[in-house]
C-alpha cells in the first residue's frame, strides 16, 4: 500500500517521530529529561549516527546527517538507507504513521530520508491470500524549507516507482504484451497521457521485422505502444523519446537460456518498459511542461514451433538485414525497430532503457546502469548527475569504432551477437545502427530485479529502477 505523504507545519506531540539533526547537541531541542538526553547522546555516538528511544506509546528516532567523509549525493543515499532501517523498526512496533522533522532549511536530506522510508513500504500482495498490508499509512514531513509541494512531488514519484515494481513483479501468465497495453491504457486515462496501441497487423504493416521475428515463437501476439504527453507550454519543441524494452518474458527462444536458474527472473525483461510507464505517470501527474513520446515494443521471447532459428536472416523496419545467431539476443531486435520508428518524431533526444545484457550486470553488478550513446557531452553529464542525485547511477561505456567489426555478418548487414567480450558494448553498437538522432542507451540488467532478500529501500523483485532517474532528469530539464 502506498502511504500518504503530507506536509505538516508543526510536528504533533506524542507521535512516532524521526528527527533529522545536523549536530548531536540538537537533541536538546526535543529532549529535556537528563537520562533521555544522555541515552540519545551515547547512542548517536555509538550506534552509527542513529538513536532510538522507545517511549512506550511512541517511538523517537534521531538521525544525524552524515559526516564530511560523505559527498552530498552519498549523504542522500545514506539517509535513504536510514529510512529503510527505521521503516523496519517501525514495522516491529506496528506503527501506521510517522512524522519526519528537521530544523534545517536544506530540504534534500529530509526528502531523501522520507523517500527511503516510503520506498521501503512496497509489498506485492496481489497473489497472496492474506492481503493485509504491513506498511505505513501516513508519512508527514515538517521543516522550515518544506511545503505541500515537496510532499506531493515525493508522492508522485514514489507512486510511479511502486507501479513500475508492480508491473515487473507480474508474471507473464497475467502480463502478456496485450495485457501490458491494457495496463498502460488504464494509466493513460488515469494520469492524463495518450496511448496508441499497434496490434500485430499494424506491426506487420510497418514491417517491424525485429519485433515480429522475436514474437514468432510465442502463442501470444506482440504490441507496439506509443505513449504521448504534450504540455501546452512544453520547454522543448522537438520531443524527447523514451523507449522501453518490453520483453514480457525471455526464455531465450530456441537459444534457450542455458544456465540453471537463469530464466527464473526473466519476467523482469520488461523493466525498461516499466520505467518508461512509471515516468509517464509521474510527468503527467506533475503536469511537467514538456513534450514526451514513449515507445514500448512488447512481446514474449519463446521457442514455439515457428520460432526464429539461429542462422535466420530477418529484415528490420529500417530495411537493414540481421543474421540472428542467438535468439536470446532478442532485446536489440525489438529496440532497433523502436529506434527506427522514433525518427518520425524528429526527437531532440532518445533514451532507451533495457534489461539488455548479462554482460552489463557482470561488469558493474547491481550498483549502477551501464550507458552509452551519441548524445552530446552536456546531455550525458545532466543524466549522469541525475543518476548521482537519485543513486540510480550511470557509468559510460565506449562505442569505439573498432567494435563495429565485431557485429559484421558474412551474409547480412549485421549479426545480432558479438564475441564473448564486450557484450554490453556490442549490444550498444548494434543499436547505434538504427539511430539517426541524439541517443542514449541505458542497460539496466544489473539493478532491475533483486532475487532473494530485500535490497534495502529498493526492495525485492522489481526495483523500479529508472523512474527516479528519469523524473529527476526531466525535472531538471524543464528547470
Ligand atoms: N534479457 C537478457 C539480459 C538479462 C540478463 C537481463 C540478466 C536481466 C538479467 C537478454 O535478452 C539476453 O539474454 N542477453 C544475452 C545476450 C547474448 C546472447 C549476446 C546475454 O546477456 O547473455
Ligand atoms: Zn534474451
Ligand atoms: Zn531479454
Amino acid at each position: 500500500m502506498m502511504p500518504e505523504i503530507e506536509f505538516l507545519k508543526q510536528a504533533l506531540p506524542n507521535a512516532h517521530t524521526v528527527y533529522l539533526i545536523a549536530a548531536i547537541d540538537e537533541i536538546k531541542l526535543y529532549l529535556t529529561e537528563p537520562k533521555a538526553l544522555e541515552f540519545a547522546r551515547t547512542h548517536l555516538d555509538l550506534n552509527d549516527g542513529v538513536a532510538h528511544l522507545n517511549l512506550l506509546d511512541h517511538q523517537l528516532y534521531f538521525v544525524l546527517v552524515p559526516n564530511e567523509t560523505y559527498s552530498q549525493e552519498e549523504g542522500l543515499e545514506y539517509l535513504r538507507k536510514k529510512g529503510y532501517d527505521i521503516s523496519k523498526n517501525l514495522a516491529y512496533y506496528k506503527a501506521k504513521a510517522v512524522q519526519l522533522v528537521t530544523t534545517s532549511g536544506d530540504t534534500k536530506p529530509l526528502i531523501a530520508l522520507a523517500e527511503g522510508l516510503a520506498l521501503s513500504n512496497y509489498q506485492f500482495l496481489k497473489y497472496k491470500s492474506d492481503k493485509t498490508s504491513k506498511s505505513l499509512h501516513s508519512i508527514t514531513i515538517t521543516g522550515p524549507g518544506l511545503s505541500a509541494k515537496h510532499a506531493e512531488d515525493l508522492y508522485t514519484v514514489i507512486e510511479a516507482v511502486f507501479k513500475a515494481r508492480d508491473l515487473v513483479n507480474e508474471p507473464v501468465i497475467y502480463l502478456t504484451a496485450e495485457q501490458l497495453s491494457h495496463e498502460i491504457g488504464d494509466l493513460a486515462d488515469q494520469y492524463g497521457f495518450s496511448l496508441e496501441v499497434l496490434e500485430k497487423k499494424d506491426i506487420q504493416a510497418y514491417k517491424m521485422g525485429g519485433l515480429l521475428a522475436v514474437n514468432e515463437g510465442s502463442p501470444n501476439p506482440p504490441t507496439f505502444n506509443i505513449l504521448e504527453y504534450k504540455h501546452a507550454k512544453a520547454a522543448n519543441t522537438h520531443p524527447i523519446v523514451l523507449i522501453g524494452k518490453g520483453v514480457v518474458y525471455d526464455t531465450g527462444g530456441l537459444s534457450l537460456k542455458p544456465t540453471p536458474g537463469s530464466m527464473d527472473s526473466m519476467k523482469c525483461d520488461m523493466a525498461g518498459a516499466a520505467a518508461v510507464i512509471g515516468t509517464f505517470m509521474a510527468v503527467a501527474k506533475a503536469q511537467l511542461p514538456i513534450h514526451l513520446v514513449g515507445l514500448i515494443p512488447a512481446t514474449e521471447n519463446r521457442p514455439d514451433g515457428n520460432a526464429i532459428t539461429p542462422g535466420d536472416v530477418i529484415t528490420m523496419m529500417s530495411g537493414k538485414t540481421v543474421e540472428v545467431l542467438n535468439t536470446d539476443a532478442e532485446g536489440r531486435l525489438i529496440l532497433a525497430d523502436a529506434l527506427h520508428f522514433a525518427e518520425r518524431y524528429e526527437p531532440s533526444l532518445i533514451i532507451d532503457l533495457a534489461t539488455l545484457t548479462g554482460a552489463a550486470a557482470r561488469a558493474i553488478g547491481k550498483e549502477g546502469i551501464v550507458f552509452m550513446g551519441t548524445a552530446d557531452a552536456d546531455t550525458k553529464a545532466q543524466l549522469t548527475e541525475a543518476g548521482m542525485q537519485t543513486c540510480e547511477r550511470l557509468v559510460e561505456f565506449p562505442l569505439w569504432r573498432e567494435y563495429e567489426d565485431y557485429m559484421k555478418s558474412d551474409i547480412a548487414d549485421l549479426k545480432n551477437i558479438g564475441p564473448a567480450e564486450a557484450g554490453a558494448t556490442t549490444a550498444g553498437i548494434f543499436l547505434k545502427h538504427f539511430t539517426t538522432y541524439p541517443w542514449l542507451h541505458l542497460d539496466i540488467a544489473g539493478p532491475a530485479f533483486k532475487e532473494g532478500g530485500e535490497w534495502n529501500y529498493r526492495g525485492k523483485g522489481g526495483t523500479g529502477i529508472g523512474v527516479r532517474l528519469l523524473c529527476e532528469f526531466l525535472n531538471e530539464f524543464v528547470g
Side-chain angles (χ1 to χ4, degrees):
M1 200 187 76
M2 185 63 206
E4 293 298 330
I5 303 176
E6 273 154 346
F7 165 69
L8 264 193
K9 267 206 175 116
Q10 203 120 47
L12 303 169
N14 303 323
H16 302 303
T17 307
V18 185
Y19 294 107
L20 180 62
I21 56 175
I24 292 190
D25 260 358
E26 260 188 60
I27 53 177
K28 287 192 210 143
L29 295 172
Y30 310 110
L31 297 173
T32 44
E33 227 262 287
K35 273 189 182 160
L37 268 167
E38 190 47 39
F39 179 90
R41 200 181 290 280
T42 326
H43 279 255
L44 279 168
D45 257 348
L46 296 178
N47 196 14
D48 203 17
V50 178
H52 167 210
L53 277 76
N54 181 348
L55 300 189
L56 301 181
D57 64 341
H58 67 285
Q59 308 298 317
L60 289 190
Y61 305 85
F62 291 94
V63 178
L64 193 56
V65 295
N67 64 27
E68 63 291 342
T69 65
Y70 285 76
S71 65
Q72 178 263 351
E73 60 266 12
E74 282 177 333
L76 297 180
E77 181 64 358
Y78 168 97
L79 291 169
R80 286 184 202 102
K81 289 180 182 168
K82 291 293 180 222
Y84 170 76
D85 295 342
I86 291 172
S87 85
K88 292 286 134 193
N89 201 268
L90 284 167
Y92 174 79
Y93 291 103
K94 301 197 167 38
K96 290 293 162 207
V98 64
Q99 55 182 358
L100 275 54
V101 180
T102 181
T103 53
S104 161
D106 184 7
T107 54
K108 274 197 162 192
L110 191 94
I111 298 284
L113 186 65
E115 183 174 52
L117 225 160
L119 286 170
S120 303
N121 279 276
Y122 178 80
Q123 290 172 285
F124 187 61
L125 296 173
K126 181 175 168 190
Y127 297 103
K128 291 278 192 188
S129 303
D130 180 4
K131 293 185 176 40
T132 326
S133 169
K134 292 181 187 70
S135 69
L136 290 167
H137 295 172
S138 157
I139 298 173
T140 60
I141 53 174
T142 301
L146 292 162
S147 65
K149 172 96 169 67
H150 288 102
E152 267 165 43
D153 288 352
L154 183 61
Y155 184 91
T156 299
V157 173
I158 287 169
E159 185 184 37
V161 174
F162 278 23
K163 189 69 208 180
R165 289 180 181 179
D166 276 349
L167 289 169
V168 172
N169 289 333
E170 275 291 357
V172 67
I173 193 170
Y174 171 79
L175 197 68
T176 58
E178 284 181 316
Q179 186 57 36
L180 181 63
S181 296
H182 290 313
E183 305 272 328
I184 306 171
D186 289 346
L187 295 167
D189 295 343
Q190 220 180 315
Y191 288 86
F193 57 91
S194 72
L195 172 69
E196 185 189 350
V197 181
L198 305 184
E199 296 171 11
K200 186 168 182 180
K201 62 174 184 347
D202 310 310
I203 296 167
Q204 284 165 333
Y206 276 116
K207 299 193 168 67
M208 292 184 176
L211 179 54
L212 290 166
V214 173
N215 182 254
E216 287 289 355
S218 165
N220 298 315
T223 62
F224 188 90
N225 305 277
I226 306 169
L227 296 69
E228 188 160 9
Y229 167 80
K230 189 175 185 180
H231 193 277
K233 294 195 182 110
N236 50 338
T237 43
H238 292 264
I240 295 177
V241 175
L242 304 178
I243 298 178
K245 174 176 174 182
V247 171
V248 288
Y249 199 84
D250 184 9
T251 68
L254 281 177
S255 313
L256 201 64
K257 287 203 171 285
T259 325
S262 63
M263 209 189 286
D264 297 4
S265 60
M266 278 304 138
K267 64 179 182 182
C268 84
D269 216 14
M270 37 57 72
V276 172
I277 297 164
T279 304
F280 266 77
M281 279 172 64
V283 164
K285 188 164 179 187
Q287 285 287 299
L288 274 200
I290 200 167
H291 183 192
L292 269 192
V293 171
L295 301 176
I296 297 175
T299 178
E300 292 158 43
N301 182 25
R302 288 196 191 258
D304 199 7
N306 209 30
I308 43 164
T309 60
D312 272 346
V313 175
I314 62 172
T315 304
M316 311 293 281
M317 185 184 178
S318 76
K320 285 193 174 149
T321 55
V322 175
E323 185 183 13
V324 178
L325 287 171
N326 189 320
T327 64
D328 198 11
E330 85 297 340
R332 61 197 74 184
L333 300 177
I334 71 168
L335 290 173
D337 282 341
L339 286 166
H340 179 74
F341 191 86
E343 274 184 11
R344 69 191 51 220
Y345 298 99
E346 300 180 5
S348 56
L349 175 65
I350 303 176
I351 303 178
D352 81 67
L353 295 99
T355 44
L356 205 62
T357 66
R362 282 192 294 279
I364 63 163
K366 296 204 155 310
E367 305 304 335
I369 298 169
V370 166
F371 92 105
M372 58 205 90
T374 57
D376 60 36
D378 279 352
T379 307
K380 285 180 180 174
Q382 284 152 14
L383 193 67
T384 305
E385 179 55 23
M388 295 308 281
Q389 291 301 318
T390 53
C391 207
E392 300 199 339
R393 290 170 295 198
L394 295 156
V395 58
E396 185 172 8
F397 277 25
L399 287 174
W400 292 321
R401 197 175 287 278
E402 285 68 20
Y403 294 118
E404 294 287 347
D405 290 343
Y406 295 28
M407 300 308 278
K408 284 190 174 143
S409 158
D410 289 336
I411 62 165
D413 297 335
L414 284 168
K415 56 182 180 180
N416 79 328
I417 54 160
E421 309 82 35
T425 298
T426 51
I429 289 281
F430 180 92
L431 295 178
K432 184 168 174 272
H433 283 271
F434 300 89
T435 66
T436 46
Y437 286 88
W439 154 77
L440 295 174
H441 158 58
L442 276 54
D443 194 330
I444 57 171
F449 195 87
K450 176 63 174 66
E451 287 175 60
E454 275 175 7
W455 178 22
N456 60 58
Y457 66 87
R458 298 173 199 261
K460 55 180 163 188
T463 60
I465 191 95
V467 175
R468 289 190 303 116
L469 168 71
L470 290 177
C471 288
E472 172 76 15
F473 173 73
L474 296 173
N475 267 303
E476 288 298 315
F477 177 85
V478 300

